Amino acid sequence: LAGATGLATDFGGFEAPAAKRPRLATPGLGAAAGPIAPDSKEYFVAQIKSYQAASEDEKQLWGSYVDLYLKGVKDPNRHDAATLQEFAVNHQLPPPAMHWGAGATPDWVAGPDSMKEPMVQRVKAFQKAGAEQKEAWHSFCGATKDPSRHEVNKLREFIISFSVP
């Protein structure tokens, strides 16, 4: 029961806060809301949140960055677009991973990279060559072992560093 103060009063004579409304989907991140502009704050927030969700290493990198440069404020929504963009560019963040309905892809997400699939196959073949090669990939890639889930730049770096045929 909510009184004039907006507080529920059926708690043994004391007032408790009224129940919060359920949080709706983040604006701009759902299929119904449509794609978000690539240079918008919403895009950079989604990009950083997606980056953090990719692995514990990425999450720790963001945490270290904000501790050092942004007074420890970890929520990307609490920073301006220029600050978020600087982090995204300096750390070569991939586009944000978003959930789009019925196989739809927003206009700003690039199509499949024609260079990526051959690189993925090279890394997979390299891993199959022996335990040492497999361990080299695992120590390089972090928590995400599947080469197809890495960006072309990361695959290229591995291929060059380890002379993958």
Side-chain angles (χ1 to χ4, degrees), residues 66-140:
V66 298
D67 287 344
L68 187 61
Y69 300 109
L70 304 175
K71 299 178 184 177
V73 178
K74 291 183 172 55
D75 182 359
N77 280 305
R78 295 186 56 201
H79 300 287
D80 60 67
T83 300
L84 301 174
Q85 182 179 22
E86 179 181 342
F87 178 83
V89 169
N90 289 341
H91 294 89
Q92 301 175 345
L93 269 55
M98 296 190 183
H99 303 287
W100 301 96
T105 303
D107 297 337
W108 48 264
V109 174
D113 189 339
S114 62
M115 293 175 57
K116 184 173 181 175
E117 188 55 31
M119 294 173 119
V120 167
Q121 294 309 317
R122 286 172 67 185
V123 171
K124 286 183 175 184
F126 183 77
Q127 290 183 76
K128 291 177 184 175
E132 188 176 320
Q133 290 84 347
K134 185 175 185 176
E135 180 55 36
W137 170 250
H138 286 192
S139 64
F140 177 84

Side-chain angles (χ1 to χ4, degrees), residues 51-66:
Y51 179 73
Q52 290 181 78
S55 81
E56 192 59 34
D57 290 340
E58 280 82 355
K59 186 175 183 177
Q60 287 177 359
L61 178 64
W62 170 250
S64 297
Y65 182 85
V66 298

Side-chain angles (χ1 to χ4, degrees), residues 6 8 16-24:
K20 291 183 178 180
R21 284 183 278 157
R23 179 180 256 179
L24 300 175

Side-chain angles (χ1 to χ4, degrees), residues 146-158:
D146 182 356
S148 66
R149 297 194 60 203
H150 289 274
E151 293 297 309
V152 171
N153 291 338
K154 182 108 173 170
L155 296 171
R156 184 179 299 119
E157 180 185 346
F158 178 78

Side-chain angles (χ1 to χ4, degrees), residues 7 21 41-42 57 76 106 125 143:
L7 299 175
R21 284 183 278 157
K41 178 178 176 178
E42 292 79 16
D57 290 340

